[in-house]
Amino acid sequence: MKCIFTSLILTAFLVFGALPAWGENFIALAPPYPPYCVSSGLTVKGMAVSTLTTIMNMCGIPLDEDRIKLMSWTYAFENTVRGPERIMLNAQRTPDSEQLFKWVGPVVTSKIVLIGRKRDKLFIPTREQLNGYRIATVRWSRPEKSLLAGGMDKDKLERHPSHVQALRSLDKGEVDLFAFTQLGAPCLMEGLGMSKDDYEICFTFDEEPLYFAFSKDTDDNLIARLNRALKDMKASGPSGKSQFDRMFEGQLD
């Protein structure tokens, strides 16, 4: 009987004692997508990063900043598909990707907008009228892909290698509109010394829910716990605002 009791204690220690260590090898792959994921020296910061680390902590699986890597969209997608213990931030949940990952979210809904100069006083009531405007995009960016998926002709876009050239062309009047995310564009403008008060959203082209995509080897119970933690994080507090809202507001100030 004593041997059996000792054996049970040892088994419980091995099982429950190992739980905190499970998942310590997670690596989060963060495609650049301001303000959700941005490079900050040798680390990655942003709204999505803060949310992920918060809910991981809530579930007892802390994710150190050195395990969050800034990667291209293609590499992050392919690496998370292959796994193991991979997390892709700002992932789109589509019929094609549904079975490739395990999902936490939606985390946030990103608005793809077209921004113009206030002094141009542009009025764009329908998507069909966009074909009459010169639109600057960042080549291969999510906003550009959204425009193309929504029926815009690639030949009518002014495609630039980075947001610097795209915003400079808008500032000079070489294009009419710049396609980016509603929250991300002001961050880019500020970095270039441009006043966001000189610009306005002329058209909201699309909205996309963003998720955390976990590699398929991730335990289902952990996915359920993370989704509950995200829900709790978004629940309104005594002030009427959630922890999620307060955190985002602090990062946008």
Side-chain angles (χ1 to χ4, degrees):
M1 178 67 69
K2 183 177 180 181
C3 291
I4 295 174
F5 182 72
T6 302
S7 178
L8 289 173
I9 291 176
L10 179 59
T11 301
F13 174 78
L14 291 174
V15 172
F16 295 105
L19 280 177
W22 192 92
E24 285 184 353
N25 293 323
F26 270 118
I27 295 178
L29 306 178
Y33 198 27
Y36 309 108
C37 291
V38 295
S39 175
S40 179
L42 298 177
T43 62
V44 187
K45 303 293 184 182
M47 294 178 174
V49 175
S50 298
T51 303
L52 178 62
T53 55
T54 298
I55 63 174
M56 293 288 277
N57 281 330
M58 291 170 68
C59 292
I61 306 176
L63 185 66
D64 294 335
E65 64 178 22
D66 63 352
R67 303 195 72 80
I68 305 173
K69 312 292 185 182
L70 200 68
M71 298 289 178
S72 69
W73 292 103
T74 301
Y75 182 86
F77 185 93
E78 293 177 351
N79 198 269
T80 307
V81 169
R82 291 195 301 267
E85 292 187 284
R86 294 293 187 269
I87 311 166
M88 180 180 177
L89 282 69
N90 305 323
Q92 287 179 298
R93 189 172 185 174
T94 67
D96 291 334
S97 64
E98 177 69 33
Q99 301 304 318
L100 298 177
F101 308 103
K102 294 185 179 180
W103 302 92
V104 173
V107 180
V108 69
T109 297
S110 174
K111 290 186 177 182
I112 308 299
V113 298
L114 298 172
I115 297 169
R117 301 184 301 177
K118 283 185 178 179
R119 64 176 178 267
D120 292 338
K121 298 180 180 179
L122 302 180
F123 175 67
I124 307 171
T126 65
R127 182 175 292 194
E128 288 71 25
Q129 290 184 300
L130 290 173
N131 288 320
Y133 293 92
R134 301 165 297 171
I135 302 175
T137 63
V138 178
R139 190 177 292 120
W140 307 121
S141 67
R142 287 281 281 277
E144 182 186 78
K145 291 178 180 179
S146 180
L147 262 64
L148 295 174
M152 293 295 298
D153 188 342
K154 182 187 293 187
D155 295 333
K156 293 185 178 180
L157 300 179
E158 298 285 342
R159 307 176 72 208
H160 294 271
S162 78
H163 71 274
V164 176
Q165 294 94 327
L167 281 172
R168 292 299 185 206
S169 67
L170 176 64
D171 185 51
K172 295 176 183 177
E174 296 172 350
V175 296
D176 304 303
L177 299 163
F178 170 57
F180 211 71
T181 62
Q182 180 181 8
L183 297 181
C187 301
L188 301 182
M189 290 178 177
E190 182 180 356
L192 295 177
M194 299 169 64
S195 173
K196 62 182 181 181
D197 293 332
D198 294 333
Y199 301 87
E200 63 184 354
I201 295 173
C202 298
F203 193 80
T204 299
F205 190 86
D206 199 8
E207 296 184 359
E208 59 173 5
L210 302 178
Y211 290 77
F212 297 133
F214 283 70
S215 52
K216 290 282 285 186
D217 63 299
T218 308
D219 183 72
D220 288 336
N221 289 328
L222 176 59
I223 294 297
R225 288 164 55 204
L226 288 166
N227 272 301
R228 286 196 298 270
L230 180 61
K231 183 178 180 180
D232 291 342
M233 189 180 173
K234 290 186 172 184
S236 298
S239 66
K241 290 186 178 181
S242 66
Q243 178 186 358
F244 183 85
D245 292 333
R246 293 194 304 272
M247 184 181 70
F248 272 29
E249 288 176 357
Q251 294 193 29
L252 289 175
D253 287 342

